[in-house]
Amino acid sequence: MKSARVHAFTERPADIRIEDVPVPEPGPGQVRVRMLLSPVNPSDFHYVRGTYFQALERIIWNQRRTEDDRRVCFDPDRRVDCPVPPYALGGEGVGVVDACGGGFLASRLKGRRVAVAGGPPNGTWQEFTVVDAKRAVVVPDSLADEQAAMYLTNPLSAHVMIREVLHVPRNGWVLVTAAGSALGKSVVRIGRRDGFRTICVVRSGANTAELAALGADAVIETDRDDLLAEVARLTAGRGVGSALDCVGGRLAGEVVRCLGLNGRLVVYGTLADSPIEIPSRDLMMPLAQVTGFYLGNWMARQSPLKLLAVLRAVKRLTAAGAFHTEVGQTYPLEQAATAVAASLEHGRTGKVMLRIGSR
């Protein structure tokens, strides 16, 4: 089968290679999925660059590695390894379950169209992938393949950060950076549904009209607007209670100054690829909090019943159109390197997608 792979961490999308590899066999509790479509997300390039591996190397529970155990792990119990190349890329997608490795849940999925949350080493950018049956979710027949391919990562992240981490109240203010992203637009739609107000921070005016049409209460373009002054004006000087940032660097530091008393900033991305700059007293005086968020580790800490409730909530929001994402460009699997390069272009609108197979 065809598989999009890297053999070492690299800054160059051109180093992604399409290779012929054996079709995988599912183990106990796993399913094999014949992939149809997979989006290109920022997290996918982190697996190309090694961003996750490098970040986890700094974490306290990875500081006592030995010569006999050099693994870098996502969790303190060292049960979930951060993979290293060579591996297949791709974090999510949609496909049809064509084989099961045994187990009640896996057997119930045979022949069903599912959204999968995968990731290296068994990524979704290949003709077949193997995932734990718990990471495959049957999608409604009414949902097009393009939307089903994006059913999990961004919708789950948006829902969890807003409702489970920040607990945004009705009429509260939420500031979102890089708001032209699929996740940023989803937050605006959830805000209209839940009754909280959104301030969308973007670099330029490329997405301003669309965000306003979706129902954003304000859009601030940082290439021409003063962020702090605009937030002060919009909130009558009280600041926002909640903020989401996927940029980092200097902008995240400015967002902290936009927080009101007891305000919280959730950091979930690193588009600026530079450290956050926060003077200590910018946190101390307003009693502000900065919280990191990584979906995989959040989900790993939840009970099965909690995860089921979250998935049901996401399903309802999906049916209501909260997570609809425009697809900008679609490439065949053989052009995975080109697709990744296209996804990194500044000012791009619409999700880049890989078409892997057909029904």
Side-chain angles (χ1 to χ4, degrees):
M1 69 170 185
K2 295 286 191 299
S3 176
R5 307 171 69 84
V6 290
H7 283 260
F9 295 136
T10 176
E11 297 284 340
R12 290 166 26 92
D15 290 331
I16 299 171
R17 298 284 185 258
I18 305 300
E19 300 177 356
D20 284 309
V21 299
V23 175
E25 293 297 329
Q30 294 182 323
V31 295
R32 185 174 68 203
V33 181
R34 178 172 57 82
M35 295 304 301
L36 302 174
L37 285 167
S38 182
V40 180
N41 293 323
S43 55
D44 294 314
F45 193 57
H46 293 324
Y47 277 111
V48 175
R49 297 181 62 191
T51 308
Y52 291 142
F53 187 90
Q54 293 158 13
L56 286 166
E57 280 187 307
R58 298 170 53 86
I59 302 300
I60 188 66
W61 60 74
N62 287 315
Q63 297 308 302
R64 296 191 65 184
R65 289 180 292 158
T66 66
E67 289 300 322
D68 295 330
D69 184 3
R70 302 299 298 168
R71 294 175 303 139
V72 167
C73 299
F74 281 98
D75 62 315
D77 295 328
R78 301 183 64 74
R79 295 175 181 171
V80 183
D81 294 0
C82 182
V84 293
Y87 49 49
L89 298 165
E92 67 173 334
V94 65
V96 178
V97 174
D98 85 319
C100 306
F104 175 71
L105 181 57
S107 62
R108 291 184 63 201
L109 295 175
K110 182 71 179 293
R112 306 293 298 275
R113 187 178 65 134
V114 295
V116 296
N122 299 310
T124 57
W125 295 358
Q126 48 188 353
E127 292 178 304
F128 294 87
T129 193
V130 167
V131 298
D132 190 299
K134 296 176 182 177
R135 299 173 71 87
V137 179
V138 176
V139 290
D141 293 338
S142 59
L143 197 63
D145 286 343
E146 287 77 7
Q147 298 304 310
M150 301 176 282
Y151 190 78
L152 293 174
T153 301
N154 278 335
L156 279 170
S157 295
H159 168 80
V160 168
M161 288 191 290
I162 288 295
R163 292 182 171 175
E164 302 291 338
V165 178
L166 289 170
H167 302 285
V168 178
R170 190 172 184 84
N171 294 319
W173 283 102
V174 178
L175 183 151
V176 188
T177 65
S181 66
L183 189 144
K185 292 171 183 175
S186 295
V187 170
V188 173
R189 294 191 187 99
I190 296 174
R192 300 304 294 176
R193 183 181 178 87
D194 287 4
F196 62 78
R197 295 172 287 181
T198 49
I199 297 175
C200 292
V201 179
V202 294
R203 182 172 4 192
S204 66
N207 289 285
T208 298
E210 182 180 1
L211 289 166
L214 289 176
D217 291 273
V219 181
I220 298 175
E221 301 169 11
T222 57
D223 63 357
R224 69 181 185 87
D225 297 327
D226 184 312
L227 176 61
L228 192 64
E230 283 297 295
V231 172
R233 179 183 66 81
L234 290 163
T235 64
R238 302 187 69 86
V240 298
S242 304
L244 298 173
D245 177 62
C246 64
V247 178
R250 180 178 178 181
L251 177 61
E254 293 179 3
V255 170
V256 167
R257 294 185 64 201
C258 295
L259 296 174
L261 191 64
N262 292 311
R264 292 184 67 190
L265 165 63
V266 174
V267 176
Y268 70 98
T270 55
L271 291 177
D273 197 25
S274 59
I276 298 176
E277 304 171 13
I278 306 176
S280 299
R281 292 196 180 275
D282 285 356
L283 294 174
M284 293 165 59
M285 311 322 290
L287 308 179
Q289 299 177 52
V290 178
T291 301
F293 179 80
Y294 179 72
L295 181 64
N297 273 352
W298 185 90
M299 294 186 69
R301 296 177 55 129
Q302 309 307 310
S303 69
L305 284 177
K306 180 65 174 180
L307 292 177
L308 181 60
V310 167
L311 285 170
R312 285 175 173 169
V314 167
K315 182 178 180 179
R316 290 193 295 270
L317 286 168
T318 299
F323 303 121
H324 180 83
T325 300
E326 294 297 327
V327 176
Q329 299 160 285
T330 301
Y331 296 85
L333 176 62
E334 291 77 9
Q335 295 180 24
T338 303
V340 171
S343 75
L344 297 172
E345 293 175 357
H346 291 304
R348 173 190 54 81
T349 58
K351 182 67 71 174
V352 174
M353 192 77 66
L354 283 174
R355 181 167 295 282
I356 302 169
S358 60
R359 285 202 264 178

